[in-house]
Amino acid sequence: MDRTGPRLFLKRGSTEILETELIALMPAGAQALIHDMLALAHRYQALSDTREIRFRLEKIDHDSCCRFHVDTVPLRLLCTYTGPGVQWKHNDSETVHETPEGWLTLLKGRLYPGWSADTSVLHRSPPLSGHAKPLTRLLLTLDHPDACGMNRRAPMMDT
């Protein structure tokens, strides 16, 4: 980890556990960011009716997840704190929208009750290559605790 925090923080747990670990891990001066992320985690818990969540905070400086898709989760909350936001489009449209930096994207996944492919919204990470200057995104992803095969293993951190 450097003074700007890890490249990836991935943890399954309650907001109380996440708060303890984030405070210990994040650099000095990140209290406002930690407070905002935890407030979003509480909101996500209320919307999804879960006690624990899958919390992923990642610095992204490359093209990732470039195909439009729907996740195999009940509900996903995304917030891009810095850099280009999430791109999305309706399943039956070619018009691509981009969520502004700092805005929330709340997506129903394939496991959401009553989900339908006909009315789905597809999303992807914005392409970062091809820009005049290098871009980095700070992306928060909140999911159901079992999303993406997450289990109760130790937190994953990549510096």
Side-chain angles (χ1 to χ4, degrees), residues 54-148:
R54 178 182 178 264
F55 184 102
R56 180 183 176 109
L57 181 64
E58 183 174 16
K59 292 178 196 172
I60 304 168
D61 59 4
H62 59 282
D63 290 342
S64 69
C65 199
C66 57
R67 294 172 59 188
F68 280 102
H69 65 282
V70 175
D71 296 307
T72 306
V73 298
L75 194 63
R76 176 164 282 175
L77 186 148
L78 302 166
C79 182
T80 306
Y81 283 102
T82 60
V86 176
Q87 292 184 341
W88 62 274
K89 69 183 192 103
H90 294 280
N91 189 36
D92 60 354
S93 174
E94 292 305 312
T95 303
V96 176
H97 306 273
E98 187 168 293
T99 305
E101 180 180 275
W103 285 35
L104 303 181
T105 306
L106 187 62
L107 299 161
K108 294 177 183 176
R110 294 180 192 280
L111 301 180
Y112 190 84
W115 178 84
S116 168
D118 296 334
T119 59
S120 65
V121 172
L122 310 174
H123 71 284
R124 72 175 181 188
S125 295
L128 298 181
S129 62
H131 289 271
K133 64 177 187 170
L135 295 176
T136 299
R137 300 173 68 218
L138 180 62
L139 178 67
L140 174 65
T141 304
L142 301 176
D143 282 313
H144 185 275
D146 297 325
C148 305

